[in-house]
Amino acid sequence: MSGAKQVYKVVINAPIETVWNTLVKTDAVLPFFFGAVCETKGGLKPGRKMRMVTPDRKFASVVGEVLEFSPPHRYSHTMAFTGYPGDAASTVTYELKEVPGGTEFSLITTNVPAGTKSEKSMAQGGPFIVDNLKALVETGKPAFSGKMVGVVNALTGWMTPKSCRIEHWPLD
């Protein structure tokens, strides 16, 4: 059984290309994705694996496969938390639309396994991602919550389970 579809929206005061280019950066720390770096082999293209890793490239927090990549309007991928190995993968879709005042950004989660740690984490993560992407694009800096996550991650990284080590989550 999977949880209901969740949609998190915000209007970002920036052109759609700016929002898109920030969202799909690879090989750079992304404060709105909890300070992770998005890694792929060969770019974000349908059928390619992707993973979110720590800046030191020692641990993977999220793994998935790109389902759709349609610049600058839609990007979708499967998603599984490496720290919750019993939870099934869900789907995350990002939609961008030009509106008066900038770009409407929507984060949509579907097929989230109900009653799981993944469901709880995604319910907390949705607003965080939306708020921090908006702050980063509009000001060049993450929101306060994004800054704090970076500090906390640096202090607690040593507690990351060995099962999350990057070698357990290859991109090939």
Side-chain angles (χ1 to χ4, degrees):
M1 194 159 102
S2 62
K5 173 180 173 178
Q6 295 295 317
V7 180
Y8 307 92
K9 287 186 181 190
V10 68
V11 174
I12 300 173
N13 184 14
I16 194 169
E17 293 81 11
T18 301
V19 179
W20 178 262
N21 290 335
T22 303
L23 175 68
V24 299
K25 279 185 183 176
T26 56
D27 298 324
V29 174
L30 304 171
F32 53 91
F33 284 140
F34 300 90
V37 175
C38 180
E39 285 189 334
T40 67
K41 272 194 178 173
L44 294 169
K45 298 177 184 172
R48 297 267 169 88
K49 287 186 179 181
M50 51 80 63
R51 63 186 178 191
M52 302 304 284
V53 301
T54 54
D56 64 7
R57 307 297 205 276
K58 289 184 180 180
F59 298 98
S61 55
V62 168
V63 293
E65 181 179 312
V66 177
L67 301 172
E68 182 179 349
F69 195 76
S70 305
H73 298 285
R74 191 172 162 92
Y75 166 36
S76 183
H77 60 84
T78 60
M79 184 190 131
F81 289 104
T82 61
Y84 308 147
D87 292 0
S90 56
T91 302
V92 177
T93 302
Y94 312 95
E95 292 182 346
L96 286 74
K97 179 171 66 172
E98 292 178 285
V99 296
T103 302
E104 181 181 83
F105 171 74
S106 299
L107 166 61
I108 304 157
T109 61
T110 54
N111 303 318
V112 179
T116 62
K117 290 180 182 179
S118 291
E119 181 183 43
K120 183 177 179 182
S121 291
M122 291 177 80
Q124 294 169 344
F128 177 93
I129 291 167
V130 168
D131 292 346
N132 277 278
L133 178 63
K134 176 179 175 65
L136 184 65
V137 171
E138 291 182 353
T139 70
K141 299 175 186 173
F144 180 75
S145 61
K147 293 175 189 174
M148 289 296 91
V149 163
V151 171
V152 170
N153 286 348
L155 295 173
T156 61
W158 62 274
M159 297 185 333
T160 305
K162 289 182 180 173
S163 62
C164 298
R165 291 196 59 84
I166 201 166
E167 60 265 19
H168 300 297
W169 306 98
L171 288 173
D172 345 30

